[in-house]
Amino acid sequence: MSHVRRRCIALLRDPEAGLTLVELLVAAAMGVVLIGVAGSLLLAPLRQQPTLEAKSADIQKARWVLERMTREIRNGISVDESSDSSVSFEAYVRQAACGGSEALAAEAPPIRCELTYSCAGEACTRIEAEPGIFTGTPTTIFTGLSNSGSVFSYMPEESAEPTYIKVTLELPSPSGSGALTASDGASLRNATLEN
């Protein structure tokens, strides 16, 4: 250490004193190592950005689907058919006809329709039909699901007429490890009003 101190003092006193080749090589090697460490610290977040963006997009999509499902469940009257992968319930909708796209006038009362959500494979579909009709043209509302077998759960569990529906969507993680889970639920608020 004293050699380094003496060398630094000598360089400061004598403006024409230079560095030896060994000193220059050591300084250059240390500089390369520092630049390499700083570069890897800066590049690591850039490499992870596409994965984070894909994960964020999947979460946003799942939140939107959950919000739509729970909003329609809240407008529900009664659950007609239920399983772990699908649910059919009667609900009030603000359209001129079941399955139609024309919205009702603001002063018109909502109509009753049968809504069926079904999750099979990697996709969830929605069917809107007349009350008591469970078939129709399905509309895909979500793709990329990894838990198609257990999406819906009901409360009370042992009841033939559940009043609460929980929806759980599991998405494969873009990074390959684990899964992203989005979950929400709602009570059929019109169930008690109709009975």
Side-chain angles (χ1 to χ4, degrees):
M1 191 69 168
S2 63
H3 171 68
V4 173
R5 189 177 314 142
R6 279 185 298 200
R7 185 76 175 127
C8 289
I9 292 171
L11 287 172
L12 291 174
R13 287 188 185 158
D14 185 10
E16 293 193 21
L19 298 172
T20 66
L21 180 61
V22 173
E23 290 171 336
L24 285 174
L25 289 174
V26 169
M30 289 173 53
V32 167
V33 168
L34 287 174
I35 289 172
V37 169
S40 67
L41 290 175
L42 292 173
L43 292 177
L46 292 176
R47 285 188 199 114
Q48 293 177 347
Q49 189 63 31
T51 302
L52 294 174
E53 286 178 3
K55 200 179 278 192
S56 176
D58 287 346
I59 291 170
Q60 287 297 103
K61 188 176 171 185
R63 283 183 181 167
W64 180 83
V65 169
L66 282 173
E67 183 180 325
R68 179 180 180 175
M69 284 181 172
T70 55
R71 183 179 58 243
E72 290 183 342
I73 290 168
R74 281 187 193 97
N75 289 327
I77 301 165
S78 65
V79 175
D80 297 324
E81 292 183 357
S82 61
S83 71
D84 289 347
S85 62
S86 69
V87 62
S88 292
F89 58 94
E90 227 177 278
Y92 289 109
V93 297
R94 298 218 34 91
Q95 293 177 351
C98 294
S101 59
E102 184 181 335
L104 284 175
E107 63 278 353
I111 62 170
R112 291 171 79 149
C113 293
E114 191 75 34
L115 300 178
T116 302
Y117 283 103
S118 180
C119 297
E122 292 186 357
C124 287
T125 59
R126 178 184 181 274
I127 297 173
E128 184 177 315
E130 294 294 324
I133 298 174
F134 307 105
T135 59
T137 304
T139 303
T140 302
I141 59 167
F142 188 75
T143 58
L145 197 62
S146 64
N147 70 323
S148 62
S150 59
V151 175
F152 301 102
S153 56
Y154 309 93
M155 292 176 118
E157 292 178 21
E158 301 300 322
S159 174
E161 295 182 21
T163 57
Y164 182 84
I165 302 172
K166 181 179 178 183
V167 184
T168 304
L169 301 175
E170 285 184 14
L171 314 166
S173 177
S175 62
S177 60
L180 304 171
T181 303
S183 180
D184 200 358
S187 292
L188 302 168
R189 66 179 173 198
N190 292 316
T192 55
L193 298 175
E194 290 291 319
N195 295 333

